Amino acid sequence: MTKYIRRAAALCALLLLALLVNAARVQVVQSRAHDDNPANRRPAIARWGQPRGNIVVEGRAVTGSKDTGEQLRFERTYRDGPLYAPVTGFASQVYGTTFLEHAQDPLLDGSDPLLSFLPLWNDITRDRNAGGEVVTTLREAAQRAAYRGLGARRGAVAALEPATGRVLALVSRPSYDPGVLSGNGREAAEAWARLNADASKPMLNRAVRQTYPPGSTFKVVTAAAALDSGVVTDLDAPVRSPDPYTLPGTTTSLSNEVEGCENASLRYAFEWSCNTVFAKLGVDVGLGAMTDSARAFGFNDPGLRIPFSVAPSSFDTEMDRAQLALSSIGQYDTRATPLQMALVTAAVANGGSVRTPYLVERTTTASGRPVAGSGAHPLRQAMNPTTARRLRELMRGVVEDGTGANAALRHATVGGKTGTAQHGIGNSGTPFAWFIGWAQSDDAIEPEVAVAVVVEDAEAVRGDISGGGDAAPIAREVMRAVLKTSG
């Protein structure tokens, strides 16, 4: 009898061991597969079972959460959704997350281990902390000025603090309300279909995800390369440049919209945007030096994040001399985001050096305990300090005596560069209007804001669109807003 009891006990022990091994296999070895199984709703229920942390602009939350009472309990809400959509993105129970909602998702949904004093305990209990807060670098007044300035037109604005790299404004129009995508019902599905079918692409973040030919605003880069390389040494000396200029190796002639560009000085050519002068300067500088200068300003960098990714701006590294001439005036294959052109302006304003831009000042727990600061932001030299000083002088001339008069501000020094970029087959598209500029209050020791504006209004009459007429007034109001809040 004892023998059978021992056998039964051994069998039970074996079955218990098998049960433990199987439980370990399911809970440890296969846990990731079960977690990622689309049929497993537990992660989604836990994710939306508590309010998300908030995104904050100047001390006020521009996001929130509402209790729906459903299984996926809390939906994301937005204050001034269209105004901040290029920054916040959306957090949808069906369509995922974008922009800051995506880049800071673990902190906002409470799963970031840094939110807890005992992260290992949370891993064991599967508990979530309350969502943390993301404090942005935005200035509300500048954001509103950019949004209001663009109005119903398509385009984008990016504004930076030159000395630090803080993003002060990031606007894209047309925009949309991210809140319409938050839920999981029919309304969210209809909104998703409508927004994706809209030809104006309201969900496209034109400030950081759309590249444009920068047109004459790229002449800042060409001028920097010419001055750094010694091709030009005197701003007021005549530059050997015919008008019209025949592109090297071709019979194609390049002309100007203004008079006086033949053998003009760099100052005159910059203030009145002489295409022939800058096209020839680019050829004289050479492809290698032009490429190096563009790269120093941030072109051809696929790794820029603010913290969400930014589309790389491009300057072709393999061109013939005719193509280089066109690229040097911001045409051919040269492309730039508005954020990139704000970086170009910031480099001029900051003595030739440029800070990596950033949008998040700090992150905190729900109770306000710091989680992470903005960290160190790399500084790179885009040009010699002497070259930057001369470019600031040239950019002041554009506003005081040239094509950028509409950007002028009282009680402030303003520098800028206008641009009208051709595009489309045979340049048949409505030109994009550009303005880049910086501003410094009379009582400030350094420029306080650098801004880039692009207007791509397809409804505009071709002859009525220009950087000075369309984009400069928008930049002026953004700069005015920043200077008022800085004082």
Side-chain angles (χ1 to χ4, degrees), residues 305-458:
R305 305 184 69 86
I306 62 170
F308 47 80
S309 62
V310 177
S313 299
S314 59
F315 184 82
D316 206 336
T317 58
E318 296 181 2
M319 296 181 281
D320 61 30
R321 297 170 75 221
Q323 293 164 341
L324 176 59
L326 293 175
S327 294
S328 300
I329 59 172
Q331 297 289 164
Y332 184 54
D333 282 344
T334 304
R335 307 279 298 188
T337 62
L339 180 65
Q340 173 58 57
M341 295 314 297
L343 283 171
V344 169
T345 316
V348 176
N350 197 38
S353 58
V354 57
R355 289 279 183 189
T356 301
Y358 66 99
L359 185 55
V360 175
E361 192 70 67
R362 64 184 180 278
T363 55
T364 72
T365 64
S367 63
R369 177 177 61 83
V371 173
S374 59
H377 298 279
L379 182 71
R380 70 172 180 271
Q381 201 67 26
M383 69 194 104
N384 292 326
T386 301
T387 296
R389 178 178 55 79
R390 292 166 123 187
L391 277 174
R392 280 168 68 166
E393 183 181 336
L394 293 177
M395 293 181 78
R396 286 199 305 270
V398 169
V399 175
E400 294 169 4
D401 304 312
T403 58
N406 283 335
L409 287 170
R410 295 180 60 190
H411 308 302
T413 301
V414 178
K417 184 72 189 78
T418 58
T420 305
Q422 307 292 335
H423 70 103
I425 299 174
N427 290 335
S428 59
T430 301
F432 298 138
W434 278 93
F435 183 84
I436 61 174
W438 52 266
Q440 176 179 345
S441 300
D442 289 344
D443 57 353
I445 60 174
E446 61 185 11
E448 297 142 280
V449 58
V451 64
V453 177
V454 64
V455 178
E456 52 162 293
D457 190 352

Side-chain angles (χ1 to χ4, degrees), residues 154-174:
R154 300 182 195 178
V157 179
L160 304 171
E161 186 175 69
T164 63
R166 288 188 181 96
V167 177
L168 305 179
L170 202 67
V171 168
S172 176
R173 298 214 66 177

Side-chain angles (χ1 to χ4, degrees), residues 187-228:
E187 295 84 356
E190 290 174 351
W192 178 257
R194 182 180 69 253
L195 289 169
N196 280 286
D198 193 329
S200 67
K201 299 181 179 179
M203 290 197 294
L204 171 63
N205 189 337
R206 289 168 163 84
V208 297
R209 294 284 174 84
Q210 178 68 35
T211 60
Y212 302 87
S216 291
T217 59
F218 190 81
K219 291 171 183 174
V220 173
V221 178
T222 304
L227 290 166
D228 268 356

